[in-house]
Each structure stands twice: as C-alpha cells, then as structure tokens.
Amino acid sequence: MGARLPPLRLLTVFETVLRTGSVQKAASDLNVTQPAVSQALKTLEDYVGTRLLDRSKRPATLTEAGRILQAGVSEGLGRIAEAFVQIRSLQNAAEQSVTVACSVGTATYWLMPRLADFYSEHQNIAVNVLTTAGAPEFQPGVDLVIRYGTGRWTDGRSVKLFDERVVPVCSPLVAKRIEAEGGLSTATLLHVRSDDNSWLTWKDYLSLNGLPENRALGRYFTNYVQATQAALSGQGVLLGWESNAGDLVREGRLVVFGETAYYPKEAFFLVSPTTSERGEAVRLLTEWIIGLGNGGNGVGASA
C-alpha cells in the first residue's frame, strides 16, 4: 500500500509559492492571506517530517527534500491538468473552446499577456492554455501547438511566427553593479536546466560570441519562469530570449547588458494537426496568432 498523501490543498499552496516566487504573490494568486499560506507550508512540512524550504536564506530556497517534492508535485498537478483538459474536450462544444499547448515561458511571457486582445474581439470563445515543461506535443483535446524549432515536424502543419534573438538581461541595479565589477566574466549567471538541446546555454552564448568564460558560482533553475523571476529580483544575469524577456525589457523591468546578440537558426511556429477538422473557433485563433507573428506584435525589433 502506498504512502498516505497530504491534502491536495497543501500541495497546491506549495506549487503556487514556487511558481510565483513568494508567499505574498502566492497568497494573491490563491486569494487567501499570507499567514494562511505560511501555515499551509508549515503543515506540509510537519506532514512530510522535514523542512522543504531553507528559510535561513533570503529569498528562501528549496532543500533537497523540497526539490524532490517539487518534481513530484509539478508532474502530478501537470497530469491532473492534462486530465481535465481531456475531460473538458469531451464536454465543451468545439466551436466555443480552443486549447493551445506551449511551454510555460511562452505562455507566461508571450501568449497570455496578448490574449486579452483576442477576447475583446471574440468574447464567446474560451481559450485554454496547456503549459508543458518540454516541447509541447499533440494529445487528445489539444487543437494548436506553439513550438520552437526548425519547423520540420511531421505531426502537423507548421506556420512560422517569428525569429528569435538572445541577449543578456538583468535588473537595472544589477547592470550598474556588474558593469563596475568586470562585466559578464564575473557576474552571477542564471542558468535554466533543460533536456531540449536547441535552447542556448550560457556556455554556448559566451563561446559563440568570443566572450571570456565565466567562472563565478551561478544559480540553476528548472524552468525559464523561475529564472526570470530571479533576474527581476536582482539575483543575476539571464539569457533573455526575445519572446519571453522582450516585453519585460520594453517595460524597463529588465535591461539588456552589452550589445552582443545571438540569433538562433530556430524560430517559433504555430502547428496545427493535419488530420483535424478545424472549427470556427480554432480557425479564428489560428489566424489571430499568425497575425501576431507576421504583424510585428510577436516580438520587438530589438530587446
């Protein structure tokens, strides 16, 4: 018999704190008080019998037990979310609902901020966004997929949305500090661990641009959203992909450090299955997303 699981609400609070980056933001996201979030975390730690967060550091970091639980919760809640998507696909009328799958970074920093414009024109259509840790795949209930790559996939029709541009980005205060201390060669770099070899690493970026190797102790994250939140809070320098960091730069929350940009050969594509019967809602969202890319609203001319 398997181990008895804690209440789902405790795991949900834990996942929300990690996803948003703070107890305060998690409380706002869950529409509860900060003490309620802190108490839920304490209750969860009591349940598992060990600390999940190292509170001796600011901001608090995950312990080894916390990292293990994070991986399990992320996968478990992700599977639950996928199950609900599939259930809703059986219940919702195809003409009124569209599901788009994309990476969590693309959803958070590119698609979601722009969806309000789509809803202003199509209030009767519900757009469900399914986020994935890796490259999104077609599964039951998914109508469209946004992918990064060469476009040569065999499971659907690919339409190019926009090219990419990669530059170092950080908070304005960090930029001033590291400029005075020696630049990228001594800066704290923020790394994202990924199984996708098409995503540029700091080692790749420095080597391709003939820049000195960085030997400072970096910080590592499991997804781009976590790393971006670290950059926003002044923890170091991130490789900023235009699709994800471009809006933050244009808003002044992040700044580009240096003038050396890298332009990958891969790009972003909208992929639709070749065998699907496209309803009106899918057609309208497809045309709108393609218009974002081709109309110059996908990414800025510069970061």
Side-chain angles (χ1 to χ4, degrees), residues 18-59:
L18 298 182
R19 173 168 49 80
T20 60
S22 72
V23 169
Q24 179 181 7
K25 292 178 181 178
S28 176
D29 193 76
L30 295 169
N31 197 28
V32 298
T33 65
Q34 292 184 46
V37 172
S38 298
Q39 182 58 45
L41 292 175
K42 179 65 168 57
T43 302
L44 182 60
E45 289 180 327
D46 292 341
Y47 193 98
V48 299
T50 187
R51 288 292 183 92
L52 300 173
L53 294 173
D54 183 357
R55 295 174 177 82
S56 66
K57 302 176 181 178
R58 291 292 182 271

Side-chain angles (χ1 to χ4, degrees), residues 140-207:
V142 172
D143 301 295
L144 300 168
V145 166
I146 299 176
R147 285 182 184 151
Y148 174 76
T150 61
R152 293 191 292 270
W153 299 288
T154 59
D155 59 346
R157 298 181 293 266
S158 301
V159 178
K160 184 177 178 180
L161 296 177
F162 49 82
D163 293 311
E164 260 293 1
R165 177 176 184 265
V166 186
V167 289
V169 296
C170 57
S171 70
L173 289 178
V174 169
K176 291 181 180 178
R177 185 179 74 242
I178 62 177
E179 187 172 11
E181 294 178 352
L184 289 178
S185 61
T186 59
T188 299
L189 303 184
L190 306 178
H191 304 265
V192 179
R193 290 191 174 100
S194 174
D195 295 329
D196 188 348
N197 294 329
S198 64
W199 284 86
L200 195 72
T201 66
W202 268 113
K203 183 177 180 180
D204 297 331
Y205 174 84
L206 295 173
S207 176

Side-chain angles (χ1 to χ4, degrees), residues 167-179 183-184 187-190 202 224 227-241 245 248-258 303:
V167 289
V169 296
C170 57
S171 70
L173 289 178
V174 169
K176 291 181 180 178
R177 185 179 74 242
I178 62 177
E179 187 172 11
L184 289 178
T188 299
L189 303 184
L190 306 178
W202 268 113
Y224 195 90
T228 301
Q229 292 304 120
L232 288 167
S233 63
Q235 296 184 36
V237 187
L238 174 71
L239 272 182
W241 295 76
L248 297 174
V249 171
R250 285 183 283 276
E251 293 167 3
R253 299 173 64 189
L254 294 176
V255 297
V256 176
F257 186 83

Side-chain angles (χ1 to χ4, degrees), residues 115-131:
L115 270 181
D117 290 338
F118 178 80
Y119 284 131
S120 68
E121 299 178 13
H122 307 288
Q123 299 179 13
N124 62 329
I125 297 176
V127 179
N128 304 312
V129 180
L130 176 65
T131 59

